[in-house]
Amino acid sequence: MTIKGVLFDFSGTLFRAEPTESWLRAVLRDADLTLPERELTEAADALEAVGALPGGVVAPRLPEGSEDLWRRRDSSAEGHRVMYTAISRQVRLPDARLHDALYDRHMLPAAWWPYPDTAEVLDALCERGVAVGVVSNIGWDLRPVFREHGLDRYVGAYVLSYEHGIQKPDPRLFATACDALGIAPEDTLMVGDDRRADGGAAALGCAVHFVDHLPASQRPEGLRPVLDLVG
């Protein structure tokens, strides 16, 4: 097989969300609110425990009756916001408006850090003439994140679930990305951290490679094996 195109997941693959505590600190700062350090740490821990940070690694604790919305959360921007702010509201914060502010914060480029080898790998793929796409289950436009970090120039297509009303592992989302890049599925490699969602590309005939969803400092070279797979 000759790989002519590589599709990447976003969160946990190319980028990592900021830690929950810095997420909360930033929102409190912007709201001109302060909490005693112990209370701030406790609130951050509670948000972490319920999985309130979109893109985090903790399995969310769902509010009662929200299971159906959770299953289809990435198919619309509205559903994504409603779901994650409902998860966040399980934690008491000093101002109820902070829950929406937390959601808004997580969409900012400053809330996302590329993995140490992201730029290197994307640049190497483009140098080899390999097309690059991003396929993400997400409820908001991540393009500004790539632009802010100087990585947009490497990406030939963004296929985002909320824009198509389709979520991974549905093969149609991967097919849309392959069509956008002009690459046949059998010549495409999908790289992601979720074996169920990203593994759906295999049903289309794509090769699949998984990475670990770890903090950036613990995964300095997790993407480099992709270059060996491409050859």
Side-chain angles (χ1 to χ4, degrees), residues 79-192:
H80 196 269
R81 175 182 282 273
V82 169
M83 185 71 260
Y84 276 100
T85 52
I87 293 170
S88 175
R89 287 191 177 96
Q90 296 175 105
V91 176
R92 184 184 295 272
L93 296 176
D95 188 323
R97 292 173 294 184
L98 290 174
H99 298 288
D100 277 307
L102 284 167
Y103 187 87
D104 292 338
R105 163 73 187 182
H106 105 276
M107 296 187 289
L108 298 179
W112 293 91
W113 305 342
Y115 279 92
D117 56 348
T118 292
E120 171 193 342
V121 169
L122 294 182
D123 184 70
L125 290 173
C126 288
E127 283 290 320
R128 298 181 189 185
V130 177
V132 171
V134 173
V135 183
S136 178
N137 277 354
I138 199 165
W140 50 277
D141 186 5
L142 52 71
R143 295 173 182 87
V145 176
F146 282 79
R147 288 196 293 268
E148 181 69 21
H149 289 280
L151 300 174
D152 179 66
R153 66 184 183 272
Y154 299 121
V155 182
Y158 295 93
V159 178
L160 312 181
S161 61
Y162 83 100
E163 293 181 337
H164 297 272
I166 303 169
Q167 301 178 172
K168 297 182 290 186
D170 192 318
R172 291 177 295 170
L173 206 63
F174 305 105
T176 298
C178 290
D179 289 345
L181 293 176
I183 306 295
E186 58 267 25
D187 298 326
T188 303
L189 172 67
M190 175 67 206
V191 181

